[in-house]
Amino acid sequence: MEDVLTVRRWRRYGADRLYVTQETGARVGSVDLQSGEVVVDDPHFESGLRRAAQAYLRADVAELAMSLPTQSTGSLAPADEAALQAWLGGADWDTIDLAAIRSERGSSLRTRLERLGDEGWQVVHDVPLGRQGSTVEHLLIGPAGIFTIAERLLPGQHVVVEGRTIAVDGRSVSYLRDARLEATRVQGALLAAACAAITVRGVVVVHGDLEVRTVQPQHDAFAITRQDVQAVFRAMPERLDPGRIAAIAHVARQRATWSH
């Protein structure tokens, strides 16, 4: 048999917590994401609460349901307990290492992009665009072309794309427009650096609840979820051969390319 724990995030009035419940709705406990305090309402599920909270923080979901083997006591098997202690950073379980988790979550998109390297893609991070301090988060160059990529962390918020516009919880935002402008600037810099006949598209990667109501224009900026990053780029038609990809990536890694 298995117990199923559900993790939901609650953010109101300056508070930011994870609440963990059983299938019946009974509360297991909570984790304060600001202080790191862990409150256990059901000691039988203490290790499960911590494991579920860790899994939630490392995932790209609004809500997480996690199955745990049913045990007669609140403790794990010795081997599992040792592994979980190592996972949480030692024998002291009073807090969860939130800084380490946030660091890993922050690099999640970076990791996903770099994994495309096995399929002929190259990625340049933190491109210094111009002399005004602007930075392109990620520049992806590969078989399907060249893309500027900016991530927007919007967990728990409803993001709607309709045509060339994007709104967050009903409020219009400039993410797609900004992506278009950024792509245009990058394209101009690469053209000036002798990368002839290229096109750059802007991409907004959303970490949140994304709804695309209309087909996004084929050559315009577009929005996708973080979970779909690899699948979307893999599915695109091939436009650049390996030699061209390598040459453009070489130019993109030169600081002089972006200093104008």
Side-chain angles (χ1 to χ4, degrees):
M1 294 180 61
E2 292 184 332
D3 293 307
V4 178
L5 301 185
T6 300
V7 186
R8 298 180 180 88
R9 190 169 187 171
W10 186 86
R11 295 191 297 177
R12 295 288 189 280
Y13 316 116
D16 191 359
R17 300 188 186 96
L18 298 182
Y19 286 101
V20 182
T21 58
Q22 301 178 48
E23 273 188 296
T24 60
R27 209 166 98 166
V28 172
S30 64
V31 178
D32 189 316
L33 296 181
Q34 295 179 330
S35 68
E37 180 186 11
V38 179
V39 177
V40 181
D41 294 296
D42 187 340
H44 177 80
F45 288 104
E46 179 172 358
S47 61
L49 179 153
R50 296 175 184 277
R51 180 178 292 175
Q54 288 281 349
Y56 177 92
L57 289 168
R58 296 179 185 276
D60 294 326
V61 294
E63 178 179 304
L64 176 77
M66 182 175 181
S67 298
L68 297 172
T70 301
Q71 299 191 33
S72 58
T73 68
S75 61
L76 296 173
D80 289 339
E81 183 172 336
L84 187 56
Q85 286 188 9
W87 182 264
L88 294 175
D92 182 1
W93 287 11
D94 289 338
T95 61
I96 288 176
D97 189 354
L98 296 175
I101 293 169
R102 287 174 181 143
S103 175
E104 178 170 315
R105 293 183 76 207
S107 66
S108 179
L109 175 58
R110 178 182 294 244
T111 299
R112 289 167 193 261
L113 294 173
E114 289 177 348
R115 285 175 182 161
L116 290 167
D118 293 338
E119 298 162 55
W121 292 82
Q122 297 198 38
V123 59
V124 185
H125 305 291
D126 302 321
V127 176
L129 188 57
R131 299 177 180 177
Q132 307 304 315
S134 299
T135 302
V136 178
E137 292 178 36
H138 313 282
L139 180 60
L140 185 65
I141 305 161
I146 308 168
F147 304 86
T148 60
I149 298 178
E151 185 172 28
R152 296 291 179 263
L153 302 178
L154 305 164
Q157 299 182 66
H158 188 207
V159 184
V160 175
V161 174
E162 196 158 11
R164 303 182 79 220
T165 64
I166 187 168
V168 178
D169 285 345
R171 176 177 56 87
S172 180
V173 293
S174 62
Y175 299 157
L176 285 175
R177 185 197 66 189
D178 294 344
R180 291 185 197 103
L181 293 173
E182 185 174 74
T184 298
R185 291 184 66 193
V186 167
Q187 181 173 311
L190 290 174
L191 287 170
C195 294
I198 61 164
T199 300
V200 180
R201 291 182 72 184
V203 183
V204 178
V205 174
V206 174
H207 184 191
D209 176 21
L210 177 65
E211 177 187 356
V212 179
R213 292 183 176 171
T214 58
V215 176
Q216 299 180 82
Q218 186 174 2
H219 301 293
D220 198 1
F222 62 97
I224 56 177
T225 64
R226 188 194 288 178
Q227 301 97 301
D228 291 335
V229 163
Q230 290 164 300
V232 166
F233 288 112
R234 285 169 179 157
M236 289 181 172
E238 185 172 328
R239 292 187 172 89
L240 299 177
D241 60 48
R244 186 103 161 99
I245 294 167
I248 296 171
H250 175 75
V251 172
R253 290 190 172 95
Q254 307 306 307
R255 182 167 291 273
T257 300
W258 312 109
S259 61
H260 303 293

